Amino acid sequence: MDAFKLMKELCANYELEVYYLPKETGLSLIESTNQNDGRISAKCRDAKVEDLWSLTSFFGYTTQTFVLAVNLLDRFLAMMRIQPKHLPCVSLSCLHMAAKVTEEECDLASTDELIRIGQCRFSVSDLSRMEKIIADKLDFKSKSVTALTFLHLYHQIALSHSTERKDTLSLVKLEAQLKACLCRIAFSKAKPSVLALSILRQEIEAIQSADKLEIAQHIQRHLKIADSELRLWCGQVAKCLLDYASPECSKPNHKKLQWIVSRRTAQNLHSSYRSVPELPTIPECCWDESESEDSCEDMMSSGEESLSSSLGSDSEGTFFPAHLCLHKLRQYLNA
């Protein structure tokens, strides 16, 4: 695609991104929630996003699937008040919805397999029902404009304008950095175009490319992104990537995780999945509704452990969550 068409597509997506942003008031309420308040906290949300990362890698799904799933999750959580015990069904529904849009049909995991591997205690009908609720509330019909949309466009624009013989911007690395950022709810408040440009700027500064820095500055001027806004998110991105960096993760194993379980464990997983009854009807509580704390107490109950403590993922550079990359992968791969 030539430079003119790329810039035209960039502007079109820039105009649309506002329609796919989570409500900032809802995100702020989640950030201000204590873990023992009986509501979704930032820590709870971040842990579930890391679970989605693990499942995405386990099933061989693309980065696009993961990013879209996180976008759907954040938009729904910022709109609806739900109990932490209901979060597994919501997050898995978002992943399944995203995969059906972005993955080839032959690569899709079946719903029952997704539930069993995710170690969730709800039925296929529960998942289907939750997908309908999410799709209805978000008016979701197809793909969304996300930070990955802009990251790919920025990368293509940089390639089309670059005078360097060898491209030093790795799209795989940029995607890994984006996934690391999305594991923190704070980045859900950033405009996708700004977050993607912040990640690009950080990588350009790391490789010290004056040629590509000029391209990034041109993109910033074209989209009229304020210097103060870009500096703010560049600083947040730099801090996030520094936190995720670890010398022990510098040489990751990019092979897909092979999850090996004993026959007894497999039987227990199978039997527990089959024995779970259908969950009751799910009341829908919005953030702006003045309902009591007990109004949503009996929606659903999942009871499963976090995948972060049972599943791993293919670590990507030094940007994969350290506690997943080091402790969990070492536990399962070196056992």
Side-chain angles (χ1 to χ4, degrees), residues 87-246:
L87 184 56
C89 187
V90 174
S91 62
L92 212 61
S93 297
C94 290
L95 178 62
H96 194 231
M97 291 169 66
K100 285 190 289 186
V101 170
T102 61
E103 305 290 339
E104 296 292 337
E105 188 174 354
C106 60
D107 296 328
L108 284 176
S110 63
T111 50
D112 58 343
E113 182 183 16
L114 189 63
I115 292 171
R116 284 192 292 119
I117 296 299
Q119 301 181 42
C120 299
R121 297 182 179 178
F122 48 80
S123 68
V124 171
S125 62
D126 293 321
L127 188 71
S128 178
R129 181 156 46 97
M130 181 59 78
E131 286 183 27
K132 291 179 181 178
I133 293 174
I134 296 172
D136 179 62
K137 292 298 179 183
L138 302 183
D139 193 24
F140 178 74
K141 298 175 182 177
S142 59
K143 300 177 183 179
S144 303
V145 175
T146 66
L148 186 66
T149 306
F150 290 99
L151 199 60
H152 283 183
L153 283 171
Y154 295 161
H155 186 261
Q156 287 180 285
I157 292 170
L159 287 181
S160 66
H161 285 83
S162 179
T163 58
E164 297 176 359
R165 292 184 179 180
K166 184 178 180 181
D167 174 42
T168 53
L169 277 177
S170 168
L171 184 58
V172 172
K173 188 174 182 180
L174 290 171
E175 288 184 355
Q177 292 172 343
L178 174 60
K179 287 190 281 189
C181 289
L182 292 181
C183 287
R184 299 189 176 188
I185 194 172
F187 290 98
S188 299
K189 291 183 175 181
K191 292 180 180 178
S193 56
V194 178
L195 176 56
L197 188 58
S198 300
I199 293 173
L200 183 72
R201 282 288 298 265
Q202 288 298 309
E203 186 59 20
I204 289 174
E205 291 177 9
I207 64 177
Q208 299 181 341
S209 172
D211 182 30
K212 291 183 174 59
L213 180 58
E214 185 177 346
I215 295 171
Q217 291 171 340
H218 173 72
I219 292 172
Q220 180 188 351
R221 289 192 298 269
H222 190 76
L223 297 181
K224 298 180 181 179
I225 297 174
D227 289 336
S228 58
E229 185 178 16
L230 187 61
R231 280 198 303 269
L232 170 65
W233 289 109
C234 278
Q236 294 292 329
V237 168
K239 185 178 183 301
C240 174
L241 299 183
L242 182 63
D243 291 343
Y244 276 109
S246 169

Side-chain angles (χ1 to χ4, degrees), residues 14-32:
Y14 186 71
E15 293 294 327
L16 292 173
E17 70 174 346
V18 65
Y19 299 108
Y20 302 98
L21 292 173
K23 291 183 178 180
E24 190 167 342
T25 52
L27 293 176
S28 297
L29 285 170
I30 294 174
E31 288 183 311
S32 64

Side-chain angles (χ1 to χ4, degrees), residues 57-58 253-261 310-314 328-329 331-334:
S57 297
F58 185 88
N253 179 6
H254 291 283
K255 294 180 180 179
K256 294 178 183 178
L257 172 68
Q258 298 298 316
W259 190 35
I260 303 174
V261 298
S310 57
L311 281 178
S313 172
D314 53 328
K328 273 65 186 184
L329 285 181
Q331 177 182 352
Y332 282 91
L333 297 181
N334 297 335

